[in-house]
């Protein structure tokens, strides 16, 4: 019913930048918070950044000052601008959204994207 498609990952040298995008589609009535998580090999998935539908943001300490999350509510899309990338940022990045589906079968879904790989070389 609802899908998230994330993209924008790739290989970049340390100090470089990447911009991730995640577009939601389907039976969407409203999207609450949207966010980006990442999972490095052998590690648990962790929150990178989140943004409410009102624009309030939250960041992991490790990315503050380097990453910026934003969203376009008209396009149901969330972005993650990543600057000054470090090798420790290497991970699969997943977008996440809290979605309220359209009537008459309204329900709340937590939806994940398929993940996009970010590799930062030293």
């Amino acid at each position: 019913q609802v899908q998230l498609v994330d993209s924008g990952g790739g290989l970049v040298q340390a100090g470089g930048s990447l911009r991730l995008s995640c577009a939601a589609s389907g039976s969407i009535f409203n999207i609450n918070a949207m966010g980006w998580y990442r999972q490095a090999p052998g590690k648990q998935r962790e929150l990178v950044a989140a943004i409410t539908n009102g624009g309030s943001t939250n960041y992991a300490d490790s990315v503050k000052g380097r990453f910026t999350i934003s969203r376009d509510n008209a396009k149901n899309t969330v972005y993650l601008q990543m600057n000054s990338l470090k090798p420790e940022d290497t991970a699969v990045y997943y977008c996440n959204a809290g979605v309220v589906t359209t009537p008459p079968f309204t329900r709340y879904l937590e939806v994940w994207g398929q993940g996009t790989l970010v590799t930062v070389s030293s």
Side-chain angles (χ1 to χ4, degrees):
Q1 287 186 335
V2 178
Q3 287 186 324
L4 297 182
V5 177
D6 42 32
S7 61
L11 174 63
V12 64
Q13 288 188 333
S17 298
L18 284 174
R19 188 189 194 213
L20 306 183
S21 300
C22 173
S25 63
S27 303
I28 299 169
F29 178 73
N30 186 47
I31 302 178
N32 296 331
M34 302 184 81
W36 288 95
Y37 289 72
R38 68 186 180 187
Q39 187 166 19
K43 295 188 177 181
Q44 289 188 332
R45 191 174 297 190
E46 63 175 358
L47 175 68
V48 176
I51 184 168
T52 68
N53 55 9
S56 297
T57 58
N58 181 42
Y59 295 93
D61 288 343
S62 59
V63 306
K64 283 181 180 176
R66 300 188 298 123
F67 291 10
T68 302
I69 189 170
S70 61
R71 64 189 283 175
D72 184 333
N73 291 331
K75 296 181 179 179
N76 291 331
T77 299
V78 63
Y79 306 96
L80 185 68
Q81 178 66 43
M82 305 186 294
N83 299 329
S84 302
L85 282 160
K86 304 176 181 180
E88 51 263 43
D89 294 318
T90 296
V92 178
Y93 285 70
Y94 300 88
C95 65
N96 172 272
V99 178
V100 178
T101 59
T102 54
F105 305 107
T106 299
R107 55 179 177 153
Y108 182 83
L109 300 175
E110 185 176 12
V111 188
W112 291 89
Q114 81 281 6
T116 185
L117 177 63
V118 172
T119 304
V120 184
S121 63
S122 57

